[in-house]
Amino acid sequence: MNLHGTIDRPVTHDPQKQDPTMQRPSPEPAGSALSVRDTSGAIVSRQNRNLEMQLIPEILARAHMHERLREAESQRPAVRVATARRMQRRAERASLRARRALAMAVMQ
């Protein structure tokens, strides 16, 4: 018998709760009908659950990335407006400098 157990099949000392696959086979008379337990569905279920658990960080990272992309997309118009205002102020200052330079040139 496995004395350490696994995550899926922990060791228990209660005979009714012990997994028959973890016990040593008892000697059966030849020709007796053995009850075979079908655990393939349970194994597949555990494998799927384990795979899903392993994929959780990837799923979370993907959701986080999509959220950041959505935020970036929503902030782009605001960035464009701020940039346009900054360029407008710069153009106004350049226009004032040009007007002053023209006025100085006319007055001489």
Side-chain angles (χ1 to χ4, degrees), residues 66-94:
H66 285 298
E67 180 65 22
R68 296 287 85 78
L69 284 172
R70 191 190 64 72
E71 284 180 12
E73 289 291 333
S74 68
Q75 288 177 357
R76 280 187 183 161
V79 170
R80 287 188 189 132
V81 168
T83 303
R85 285 183 181 156
R86 198 166 40 246
M87 292 176 72
Q88 182 180 6
R89 287 193 299 267
R90 188 180 297 167
E92 287 172 357
R93 285 193 303 267

Side-chain angles (χ1 to χ4, degrees), residues 15-80:
Q16 292 180 345
K17 293 183 180 178
Q18 288 181 352
D19 190 352
T21 60
M22 299 292 280
Q23 297 175 0
R24 280 186 245 154
S26 60
E28 293 286 331
S32 67
L34 294 175
S35 64
V36 176
R37 203 171 112 190
D38 182 24
T39 59
S40 62
I43 291 170
V44 169
S45 173
R46 274 194 294 273
Q47 287 174 346
N48 287 341
R49 183 179 65 227
N50 290 341
L51 179 62
E52 288 171 8
M53 294 295 285
Q54 290 171 358
L55 293 178
I56 285 176
E58 182 180 341
I59 293 167
L60 288 174
R62 190 173 289 128
H64 187 75
M65 180 186 68
H66 285 298
E67 180 65 22
R68 296 287 85 78
L69 284 172
R70 191 190 64 72
E71 284 180 12
E73 289 291 333
S74 68
Q75 288 177 357
R76 280 187 183 161
V79 170
R80 287 188 189 132

